[in-house]
Amino acid sequence: MIREVAILTIDPANATEFEAAVTQARPIFIGFKGCHDMHVERVIENPGSYRLVVLWESLETHTEVFRNAQAFQDWRALAGPWFTVPPQVVHTEQVV
């Protein structure tokens, strides 16, 4: 299992609209084959900063399959307009 963590930055004035958009986008992830979970966390110390956390079956499921699917375009259409900078994405795997 691979964990995708994306740093999402928005204008804090748009928080309500952004959170509504990512709530609407959640089924896009949950319904995608190879996605085991998805949630978005608000960073308390930094208004306008969020973390997208997605559990993928494999790195390729995210980077090759999802990113080349219509589902990715649908996600970006909902959430992308709110980003003030491009998301920074890392992938992790549990070791302990």
Side-chain angles (χ1 to χ4, degrees), residues 49-64:
S49 185
Y50 291 79
R51 299 298 180 267
L52 166 70
V53 180
V54 186
L55 299 180
W56 295 103
E57 187 67 33
S58 67
L59 180 62
E60 294 75 21
T61 301
H62 176 228
T63 60
E64 296 174 23

Side-chain angles (χ1 to χ4, degrees), residues 20-82:
V22 295
T23 298
Q24 187 179 352
R26 189 170 192 277
I28 294 169
F29 287 90
I30 298 302
F32 197 83
K33 184 176 178 174
C35 177
H36 293 270
D37 193 22
M38 173 272 200
H39 66 272
V40 175
E41 304 168 348
R42 183 183 322 111
V43 177
I44 295 169
E45 296 84 1
N46 188 6
S49 185
Y50 291 79
R51 299 298 180 267
L52 166 70
V53 180
V54 186
L55 299 180
W56 295 103
E57 187 67 33
S58 67
L59 180 62
E60 294 75 21
T61 301
H62 176 228
T63 60
E64 296 174 23
V65 181
F66 181 75
R67 284 202 178 166
N68 289 312
Q70 180 61 44
F72 179 72
Q73 299 304 318
D74 296 343
W75 150 250
R76 288 308 291 258
L78 287 166
W82 305 109

Side-chain angles (χ1 to χ4, degrees), residues 7-27:
I7 299 170
L8 309 178
T9 305
I10 67 157
D11 179 339
N14 297 324
T16 300
E17 295 87 351
F18 171 72
E19 290 176 18
V22 295
T23 298
Q24 187 179 352
R26 189 170 192 277

